[in-house]
Amino acid sequence: MDSPVNDLLWIEELLPPGYDAHPKHGGMAYYVDMKLVMILVERRGLYEHKGVSYPFELWNGVIFPVLKKAQNAFFLKYLFLENHPANKDWLYIPADQDDFEDQVKQMMREISKANPLLGLPVKMDAPDSAEKSAAAKKKTAKKVRATKKSENAYFLSIAKKPK
């Protein structure tokens, strides 16, 4: 099987032992300890996403998945990172940056150190969990809409009784 990335495969060698790789988003996704830690993409010439033009190629470089709420820690330490417009949980290094190799190596050290802020956990669903949740929804009793007429009539009858 041909890899969707060729020029960026040197980055794969910097990953810690025991990683998994699978094709994703037109590139290769890399998983370490059940977390998506990196996506390599090589599709040149795309500068626009949802009608907005960006000053860098959007699908030619390295994507580092980081939860939105943890991204500030990376922006403070690594000024070269960009937000990727396709996903709010992606930080990006375009391949056309001047210090691309050094920047990638810095981020790869974070992966090697197993920085807990870097990466997104793989969502594991049991194969039949979707069936179980669908069955549970079907079994849930429908709410019976109670009318207040009889209740109101009772209170009115109490209120009208002579003392």
Side-chain angles (χ1 to χ4, degrees):
M1 176 178 128
D2 284 338
S3 174
V5 292
N6 295 314
D7 295 338
L8 300 178
L9 281 179
W10 61 270
I11 298 170
E12 190 175 282
E13 297 170 6
L14 302 174
L15 283 165
Y19 68 86
D20 290 318
H22 301 283
K24 186 175 188 139
H25 299 295
M28 288 298 287
Y30 296 91
Y31 301 84
V32 176
D33 296 330
M34 300 300 290
K35 288 173 81 174
L36 172 63
V37 295
M38 181 177 66
I39 304 170
L40 298 179
V41 287
E42 279 186 41
R43 285 187 283 160
R44 291 174 175 77
L46 299 171
Y47 291 87
E48 193 172 306
H49 180 71
K50 293 187 177 180
V52 178
S53 292
Y54 293 88
F56 51 85
E57 287 182 309
L58 298 179
W59 300 105
N60 186 29
V62 186
I63 296 169
F64 295 97
V66 176
L67 288 173
K68 180 94 171 126
K69 62 185 177 185
Q71 289 178 359
N72 286 340
F74 286 96
F75 284 130
L76 290 173
K77 190 171 182 181
Y78 304 110
L79 302 175
F80 52 82
L81 290 170
E82 301 280 352
N83 281 108
H84 198 284
N87 189 322
K88 65 179 171 43
D89 289 332
W90 287 354
L91 299 178
Y92 180 60
I93 305 174
D96 58 3
Q97 298 243 12
D98 292 336
D99 296 334
F100 177 72
E101 287 185 32
D102 291 332
Q103 294 169 355
V104 169
K105 287 176 183 176
Q106 290 177 49
M107 289 301 292
M108 296 307 291
R109 274 184 242 139
E110 294 291 335
I111 293 173
S112 296
K113 290 190 294 187
N115 184 331
L117 299 177
L118 183 64
L120 299 176
V122 176
K123 294 178 184 172
M124 299 292 287
D125 282 341
D128 60 337
S129 67
E131 295 170 13
K132 287 181 183 178
S133 65
K137 287 179 184 176
K138 287 180 183 177
K139 288 182 183 178
T140 305
K142 290 185 178 181
K143 271 189 172 178
V144 177
R145 188 171 195 161
T147 61
K148 294 280 190 175
K149 263 187 183 178
S150 59
E151 193 175 321
N152 289 342
Y154 173 73
F155 288 124
L156 283 172
S157 68
I158 294 173
K160 290 180 182 177
K161 282 188 179 177
K163 290 184 182 180

